Amino acid sequence: MKLSTKGRYGIQAMFELALYYGEGPISLKTIAENEGLSEHYLEQLIAILRKADLVKSVRGAQGGYMLAAPPDKITVGDVIRTLEGSLAPADCVLEDTPFECSRAGGCPTKLVMERIRDSINKVIDSITLQDMVEDYRRLNQKSAFMYYI
Amino acid sequence: MKLSTKGRYGIQAMFELALYYGEGPISLKTIAENEGLSEHYLEQLIAILRKADLVKSVRGAQGGYMLAAPPDKITVGDVIRTLEGSLAPADCVLEDTPFECSRAGGCPTKLVMERIRDSINKVIDSITLQDMVEDYRRLNQKSAFMYYI
DNA sequence: TGAAATCCGGGTAAAATAGTAGGGATTCAG
DNA sequence: CTGAATCCCTACTATTTTACCCGGATTTCA
């Protein structure tokens, strides 16, 4: 039940873009360096995010990527689902194309899966990139303050 | 973010054992047939559950398996974690041996992972095998009733 | 024009998944 | 006391997924 690196790196990259939102395009190189990720691999992930209209690209020198919407309009759920697909823990509770098993109607395991799925969705849909940025700034401020004690 | 078949089959097998709790040992063959699973594969999974003291075995002819505790004392979380390990969506938020990344302290992604982890745990720890049995009986009763309309 | 970027398709080694195979040990029924 | 049922254990394996790398084309700014 791990998130793959797609989802994790995707969140990290989107967080970087949120951090510099409004300051022009950020290059993949910058993102990859700041987050310690492979530039080539990140390229594939951000291509998916671009096709899903979550980021915009600017080609050519001094180009790069930026969020397609303000950080408070993009949720962690948008990012994860774009990169990983549904977060349903089993195929029988996929939101779009559920695989119907033979006992689908009266299956007690399915109820469990639905509850897990719903609780994950509830959490990731409630966190925006703006929330992450604010958390980050708060955490950083705190540890800077700690040095003076 | 799928549960592997280990977790899913494990829940199904434990549900079967809960359904017949108190009626003597149930053979692997019976469980596998009722749930439509591979007997040999299930054997490996139930061995893990046995070592974790969630099920007891009775060897020899007319032997089989039974729950090591009443169905209302075993949660879905006990079963899943035994078979799949922690349900942390990333290694940095493992409950027992978290992998500390470089920015661990001020990492906003980690906060997200913690919230996902906690919400999954909350759900699976709140559902007992007894709950599943009751759901099953309720669902079945309902559909039997439907036939008369 | 040349350097800095994005864009794009393909390739690939390693790990995880979901089993299969086969034999040994134990116990009950007749 | 023998045979069938059943658990117990280790090893093997095909397939899929993951997490990348490579090379080159295209676009744009300075």
Side-chain angles (χ1 to χ4, degrees):
Chain A
M1 273 289 272
K2 289 263 183 321
L3 223 51
S4 76
T5 54
K6 279 188 193 175
R8 210 166 72 243
Y9 294 180
I11 295 174
Q12 294 181 241
M14 291 296 274
F15 163 75
E16 284 290 324
L17 294 182
L19 206 50
Y20 301 111
Y21 182 70
E23 304 179 20
I26 312 292
S27 76
L28 260 187
K29 194 179 175 191
T30 305
I31 300 173
E33 276 173 3
N34 285 358
E35 295 286 335
L37 306 175
S38 151
E39 194 180 332
H40 266 297
Y41 186 41
L42 207 49
E43 199 177 349
Q44 291 176 49
L45 307 187
I46 212 156
I48 300 170
L49 295 169
R50 184 172 48 81
K51 281 164 194 161
D53 284 321
L54 290 175
V55 302
K56 285 185 297 187
S57 66
V58 177
R59 300 186 69 169
Q62 271 64 52
Y65 296 92
M66 39 191 164
L67 296 183
D72 64 332
K73 299 298 180 204
I74 300 177
T75 69
V76 168
D78 295 331
V79 178
I80 297 184
R81 268 189 298 268
T82 297
L83 290 167
E84 308 237 357
S86 165
L87 271 79
D91 287 341
C92 63
V93 295
L94 286 170
E95 287 95 339
D96 39 357
T97 53
F99 171 77
E100 294 280 330
C101 77
S102 55
R103 68 148 41 138
C107 179
T109 303
K110 186 173 172 181
L111 291 178
V112 172
M113 298 299 173
E114 282 171 348
R115 291 180 59 182
I116 295 174
R117 180 198 63 189
D118 292 346
S119 82
I120 296 173
N121 280 336
K122 196 173 167 185
V123 168
I124 64 177
D125 287 337
S126 75
I127 307 174
T128 67
L129 296 179
Q130 182 63 37
D131 294 331
M132 290 186 68
V133 169
E134 281 164 18
D135 281 341
Y136 175 72
R137 295 204 168 121
R138 190 167 40 76
L139 286 171
N140 253 41
Q141 193 181 3
K142 199 174 191 174
S143 63
F145 173 71
M146 294 289 281
Y147 280 116
Y148 290 104
I149 297 179
Chain B
M1 272 291 272
K2 290 262 183 320
L3 225 50
S4 76
T5 53
K6 280 189 193 175
R8 210 165 73 241
Y9 294 180
I11 295 175
Q12 294 181 238
M14 292 296 274
F15 163 75
E16 284 291 323
L17 294 182
L19 205 51
Y20 301 110
Y21 181 69
E23 303 177 22
I26 312 293
S27 77
L28 212 45
K29 194 179 174 190
T30 305
I31 300 173
E33 275 172 5
N34 284 358
E35 295 286 336
L37 306 174
S38 152
E39 194 179 334
H40 262 299
Y41 186 41
L42 205 50
E43 201 177 349
Q44 293 176 45
L45 307 187
I46 212 155
I48 299 170
L49 294 170
R50 184 173 48 80
K51 281 164 193 160
D53 285 321
L54 290 175
V55 303
K56 285 186 296 189
S57 66
V58 178
R59 299 185 68 167
Q62 273 61 54
Y65 296 93
M66 40 192 163
L67 296 183
D72 64 331
K73 299 298 181 205
I74 301 177
T75 68
V76 168
D78 295 331
V79 179
I80 297 184
R81 268 189 297 269
T82 296
L83 291 167
E84 308 236 357
S86 165
L87 270 81
D91 287 341
C92 64
V93 295
L94 287 169
E95 286 95 340
D96 39 357
T97 53
F99 170 78
E100 293 279 331
C101 77
S102 53
R103 66 148 43 141
C107 180
T109 302
K110 185 173 174 182
L111 291 178
V112 173
M113 298 299 173
E114 282 172 347
R115 291 180 59 182
I116 296 174
R117 180 198 65 191
D118 293 346
S119 81
I120 296 173
N121 281 336
K122 195 172 168 186
V123 168
I124 64 177
D125 288 337
S126 75
I127 308 174
T128 68
L129 297 179
Q130 182 63 39
D131 294 331
M132 288 187 67
V133 169
E134 281 164 17
D135 280 341
Y136 175 72
R137 295 202 168 122
R138 189 167 42 75
L139 285 171
N140 254 40
Q141 193 180 2
K142 201 175 193 174
S143 64
F145 173 70
M146 295 288 282
Y147 281 114
Y148 291 105
I149 297 180

